[in-house]
Amino acid sequence: MQYENPKPREGINYSSEHPLKEFSQLLIGIVVIIAVVVITLNALAGRLAFYIPFEFERNMVSDFEFAEVEESLQQAYLQELADRLAPHMDLPEDMKITVHYSDSDTVNAFATLGGNLVFFQGLIEQMESEEELAAVMGHEIAHIKYRHPIVALGKGVTLATLAAFVGGSSASGAGGWLIGSSANLSLLKFSRDQESQADQAAAAGLQALYGHIGGAKDLFQSFAELEGQDSVTNPGVVELFRSHPHSANRWIELQSLADTRGWLVDDARTKLNFPGVASDSEG
């Protein structure tokens, strides 16, 4: 018996589908898978960050220079205010707040890893009372209380690692990015929900310390005005709340909260005696 290799039938390697359609379907599938992976890892990173011991977080940044000016009268003033306000904000026992001062004219303040806060001279010059400065201080302390910096960093590192993997970056390149991102702590951003949570905790601290939340009222009214200025002629003037919800809306939310909890919205202010900054505030 003689065997022959049969010829394949016609059209066996031909598809009636257009090749671009098949490619598009494959591409969409890959994008959907990546999106699901990103969302899942991002959520996990946020949840797992809460379990990192605060002491470990402090050790991560123990050698980091947060501001050029240290051990000054200005830094001491800010630290004393934080030491008075923090006990009214229900912080964990092991959570220590350390305030740093920068003489830069940047209108900003931020909370970062290890309970560190940085305040800029440009922001303080906008304040007219101790209560108003305390409103900013309480907001930043609240970010520390709820571990927002480590959550933000965890999500950022997760996304960066995934991007390096997908993009085929070298291990050294990805490692350099992570180190750089960890060092550039001032760029940590928080979500609108986190900002609202920090606003509420700060208001509670103000109410407990001063008996009213007038400092928050002054703060949001002041920045609502600044947000309306031309950012081209006044660069950086709204740096503090650039990524935040509109200040006017934030104050409306706090007013509603104050009504619910029976907080006093307005009362006498304490003159701001910040070293080097004159104040016309009424006592």
Side-chain angles (χ1 to χ4, degrees):
M1 182 179 294
Q2 184 177 1
Y3 292 94
E4 296 181 357
N5 187 21
K7 294 181 179 181
R9 65 178 185 274
E10 294 292 333
I12 192 172
N13 291 322
Y14 174 78
S15 172
S16 59
E17 297 281 352
H18 194 284
L20 289 180
K21 181 178 180 181
E22 294 181 346
F23 174 76
S24 299
Q25 292 173 338
L26 178 62
L27 182 61
I28 292 173
I30 292 174
V31 169
V32 170
I33 292 173
I34 292 177
V36 171
V37 171
V38 167
I39 293 173
T40 302
L41 290 178
N42 211 27
L44 287 175
R47 292 178 181 275
L48 293 176
F50 284 103
Y51 296 97
I52 296 177
F54 188 73
E55 186 62 28
F56 176 80
E57 185 181 328
R58 288 187 65 85
N59 291 336
M60 287 174 61
V61 294
S62 59
D63 297 327
F64 189 82
E65 295 291 336
F66 290 97
E68 296 178 358
V69 180
E70 295 286 357
E71 302 302 326
S72 63
L73 292 176
Q74 291 87 347
Q75 188 272 337
Y77 180 99
L78 292 168
Q79 186 64 57
E80 189 273 337
L81 179 59
D83 291 342
R84 283 193 287 124
L85 181 58
H88 297 284
M89 298 193 63
D90 194 27
L91 301 182
E93 292 184 2
D94 65 336
M95 189 168 284
K96 179 182 178 182
I97 302 298
T98 304
V99 189
H100 307 268
Y101 166 75
S102 170
D103 58 4
S104 166
D105 60 1
T106 301
V107 184
N108 198 14
F110 65 85
T112 189
L113 301 177
N116 291 284
L117 312 182
V118 179
F119 277 71
F120 294 85
Q121 178 75 12
L123 169 70
I124 298 167
E125 290 176 349
Q126 302 292 330
M127 306 288 100
E128 296 186 356
S129 70
E130 179 185 298
E131 286 85 352
E132 189 174 3
L133 180 58
V136 181
M137 182 78 71
H139 179 89
E140 302 306 335
I141 291 176
H143 279 312
I144 302 298
K145 172 183 178 178
Y146 295 118
R147 309 295 300 277
H148 292 163
I150 193 68
V151 170
L153 183 64
K155 289 184 176 183
V157 169
T158 299
L159 294 178
T161 304
L162 181 62
F165 174 77
V166 173
S169 299
S170 66
S172 60
W177 189 97
L178 296 178
I179 294 172
S181 296
S182 299
N184 201 3
L185 302 174
S186 65
L187 297 180
L188 296 178
K189 302 298 182 183
F190 308 127
S191 71
R192 288 179 179 267
D193 288 341
Q194 290 173 327
E195 295 298 344
S196 179
Q197 188 180 37
D199 284 347
Q200 294 180 27
L206 290 176
Q207 175 66 29
L209 181 59
Y210 299 106
H212 63 90
I213 63 170
K217 175 184 177 181
D218 296 341
L219 176 68
F220 289 124
Q221 287 181 344
S222 174
F223 276 93
E225 295 175 2
L226 288 173
E227 287 168 2
Q229 294 188 18
D230 184 357
S231 60
V232 176
T233 57
N234 297 279
V237 73
V238 291
E239 182 73 17
L240 176 62
F241 293 143
R242 179 172 294 172
S243 61
H244 297 45
H246 290 299
S247 296
N249 294 335
R250 296 170 73 179
W251 173 240
I252 291 174
E253 290 182 1
L254 285 188
Q255 280 184 298
S256 177
L257 181 65
D259 291 340
T260 300
R261 299 190 179 182
W263 292 345
L264 186 61
V265 171
D266 220 343
D267 205 347
R269 309 291 194 269
T270 306
K271 182 178 180 179
L272 180 63
N273 292 314
F274 192 81
V277 176
S279 175
D280 297 327
S281 304
E282 296 182 0

